Amino acid sequence: MLFAAMHKTRMPDPSEALPGRATPMPVPERHAVLDVPLLPPYPDGMEVIHLGMGCFWGAERLFWRQPGVHVTAVGYGAGHTPNPTYREVCSGMTGHNELVRVVFDPSRLALEEVLKIFWEGHDPTQGMRQGNDVGTQYRSGIYPADPGRLPVAEASRERFNEILRAAGRGPVTTEIRPLEDFYFAEDYHQQYLAKNPEGYCGLGGLGIPYPAAS
């Protein structure tokens, strides 16, 4: 059991990763809550960011409830295996993170507010885990679709890291980088907690406010 846990918290080398497949996962036409298309193209002016906060079920619900969010979806990214299945991701042999795609209107919901929700909504100090969920797919991560937004994300990490250190917590282990591919998760994962209101939600922040940029 200990060996299995250690294996799942080690990023696999691309040479060891599962081969995956060329066929993408079928994607539902519309969001089960917001009733808009899950797939792009999205309306003009929308911004896209992918966030890893542990189990993606609760993270997606957190964001679809926010005014200014156009659509959300869950999937896999920042790994090696093309078009992975949930079972493959959970094996620890794809390197993927469980992500929520957040498509938002920056004129109604600023990126700083998105980052505030992100930082305050989970514990970004746990490395390859989130609470009792252990594995590479549960790591904290920020992956802006626009590489020009990386400095904003990195600056937010530094600010929150300083606050956590002052509170005797940290360091922040959040991964921030461009995302080469986002693979939609299986149909039953999309808006899971709308379809299963009593389902598992592992979200839990530290109770420490995020200091937004002045």
Side-chain angles (χ1 to χ4, degrees), residues 94-116:
T94 73
H96 285 296
N97 199 352
E98 288 191 20
L99 302 179
V100 56
R101 168 177 283 186
V102 182
V103 182
F104 64 101
D105 182 349
S107 70
R108 298 180 57 205
L109 182 68
L111 177 58
E112 273 294 328
E113 184 60 27
V114 172
L115 293 171
K116 174 181 172 67

Side-chain angles (χ1 to χ4, degrees), residues 52-100:
M53 304 172 65
C55 176
F56 51 21
W57 294 340
E60 186 186 19
R61 180 174 63 181
L62 179 64
F63 282 99
W64 82 52
R65 291 175 168 176
Q66 304 302 320
V69 168
H70 171 70
V71 72
T72 60
V74 295
Y76 316 114
H80 309 304
T81 300
N83 299 297
T85 66
Y86 181 67
R87 182 182 295 272
E88 288 171 341
V89 170
C90 288
S91 75
M93 294 307 296
T94 73
H96 285 296
N97 199 352
E98 288 191 20
L99 302 179
V100 56

Side-chain angles (χ1 to χ4, degrees), residues 7-214:
H7 169 74
K8 291 183 67 176
T9 59
R10 179 184 67 84
M11 282 291 288
D13 185 83
S15 64
E16 349 177 71
L18 296 174
R21 57 203 49 81
T23 306
M25 195 72 63
V27 180
E29 288 189 9
R30 303 186 74 82
H31 194 282
V33 177
L34 302 175
D35 194 29
V36 295
L38 261 68
L39 288 170
Y42 303 120
D44 291 344
M46 294 295 115
E47 186 166 345
V48 180
I49 193 167
H50 300 90
L51 303 168
M53 304 172 65
C55 176
F56 51 21
W57 294 340
E60 186 186 19
R61 180 174 63 181
L62 179 64
F63 282 99
W64 82 52
R65 291 175 168 176
Q66 304 302 320
V69 168
H70 171 70
V71 72
T72 60
V74 295
Y76 316 114
H80 309 304
T81 300
N83 299 297
T85 66
Y86 181 67
R87 182 182 295 272
E88 288 171 341
V89 170
C90 288
S91 75
M93 294 307 296
T94 73
H96 285 296
N97 199 352
E98 288 191 20
L99 302 179
V100 56
R101 168 177 283 186
V102 182
V103 182
F104 64 101
D105 182 349
S107 70
R108 298 180 57 205
L109 182 68
L111 177 58
E112 273 294 328
E113 184 60 27
V114 172
L115 293 171
K116 174 181 172 67
I117 296 164
F118 168 81
W119 290 118
E120 294 182 358
H122 74 302
D123 181 349
T125 69
Q126 294 192 340
M128 300 296 186
R129 66 180 299 158
Q130 195 65 202
N132 291 327
D133 294 325
V134 179
T136 54
Q137 78 268 31
Y138 300 118
R139 65 192 186 270
S140 176
I142 303 175
Y143 314 91
D146 178 0
R149 298 302 237 168
L150 288 169
V152 178
E154 290 164 352
S156 76
R157 178 175 59 189
E158 291 307 309
R159 283 196 304 277
F160 201 48
N161 196 37
E162 289 179 10
I163 293 295
L164 293 189
R165 285 187 180 276
R169 304 296 296 264
V172 168
T173 60
T174 303
E175 176 178 79
I176 299 177
R177 63 182 179 90
L179 193 67
E180 294 182 3
D181 295 292
F182 174 78
Y183 301 105
F184 283 86
E186 293 85 340
D187 185 357
Y188 74 93
H189 287 299
Q190 305 297 337
Q191 299 86 64
Y192 179 86
L193 291 179
K195 303 168 185 175
N196 302 274
E198 302 303 318
Y200 170 76
C201 176
L203 278 187
L206 295 173
I208 298 175
Y210 164 70
S214 56

